[in-house]
């Protein structure tokens, strides 16, 4: 995780400098008025990268070094089971469709379509999240 937090914080530093430069440039170029849309977008991008970098830094202090973080790490050190990955699911398509419906509600400013889209987004997200938690539960005792 050492590499990840460094990358994010380097990008955050660049974005902070770009925010200051952009704000000063638009202030001087337009005769005393800052162009707020771009300045706020750059500032929010800086905050997002800082948040991700801070999270990775926080996690990297609490876990052991991974093979890719060690200088003497081998490819075989990373072998083994990583986790469970779904072989196939229709829920991502439903989630994308629900987000498109909600987006159309925003585009045309139709509150009923926006509400329908948001309800279906929540339903599809729950379906995706709990896809493998449905049915009877089997324990090790049986």
């Amino acid at each position: 995780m050492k590499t990840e937090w460094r990358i994010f914080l380097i990008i955050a530093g660049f974005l902070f400098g770009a925010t200051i430069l952009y704000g000063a440039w638009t202030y001087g170029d337009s005769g005393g008025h800052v162009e707020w849309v771009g300045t706020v977008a750059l500032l929010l991008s800086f905050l997002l990268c800082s948040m991700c970098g801070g999270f990775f830094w926080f996690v990297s202090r609490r876990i052991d070094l991974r093979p890719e973080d060690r200088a003497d790490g081998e490819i075989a050190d990373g072998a083994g089971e990583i986790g469970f990955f779904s072989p196939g699911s229709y829920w991502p398509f439903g989630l994308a469709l629900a987000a498109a419906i909600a987006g159309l509600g925003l585009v045309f400013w139709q509150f009923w379509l926006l509400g329908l889209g948001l309800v279906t987004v929540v339903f599809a997200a729950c379906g995706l999240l709990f896809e493998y938690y449905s049915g009877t539960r089997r324990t090790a005792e049986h």
Side-chain angles (χ1 to χ4, degrees):
M1 294 266 173
K2 203 189 301 188
T3 305
E4 289 90 345
W5 71 260
R6 286 183 178 163
I7 289 172
F8 273 103
L9 291 181
I10 287 170
I11 294 171
F14 168 77
L15 287 170
F16 185 70
T19 302
I20 293 172
L21 181 66
Y22 184 82
W25 197 319
T26 58
Y27 181 79
D29 205 29
S30 65
H33 299 289
V34 175
E35 198 277 312
W36 287 108
V37 175
T39 306
V40 171
L42 285 168
L43 181 65
L44 290 175
S45 299
F46 156 73
L47 292 173
L48 180 65
C49 283
S50 298
M51 183 178 66
C52 292
F55 172 76
F56 285 136
W57 174 76
F58 183 77
V59 169
S60 72
R61 292 180 42 218
R62 283 163 174 65
I63 63 172
D64 293 332
L65 285 177
R66 300 174 303 167
E68 53 266 23
D69 291 332
R70 295 192 329 248
D72 64 338
E74 297 288 331
I75 293 175
D77 294 339
E81 185 176 332
I82 296 175
F84 174 74
F85 297 96
S86 177
S89 174
Y90 293 108
W91 284 110
F93 175 74
L95 189 60
L97 187 64
I101 291 170
L104 284 174
L106 275 174
V107 166
F108 294 114
W109 206 241
Q110 298 294 317
F111 292 112
W112 66 272
L113 191 59
L114 178 62
L116 176 71
L118 291 177
V119 168
T120 54
V121 162
V122 169
F123 178 73
C126 289
L128 182 63
L129 181 65
F130 297 114
E131 181 174 14
Y132 292 100
Y133 294 104
S134 61
T136 59
R137 185 171 183 183
R138 301 193 191 272
T139 61
E141 298 170 1
H142 291 117

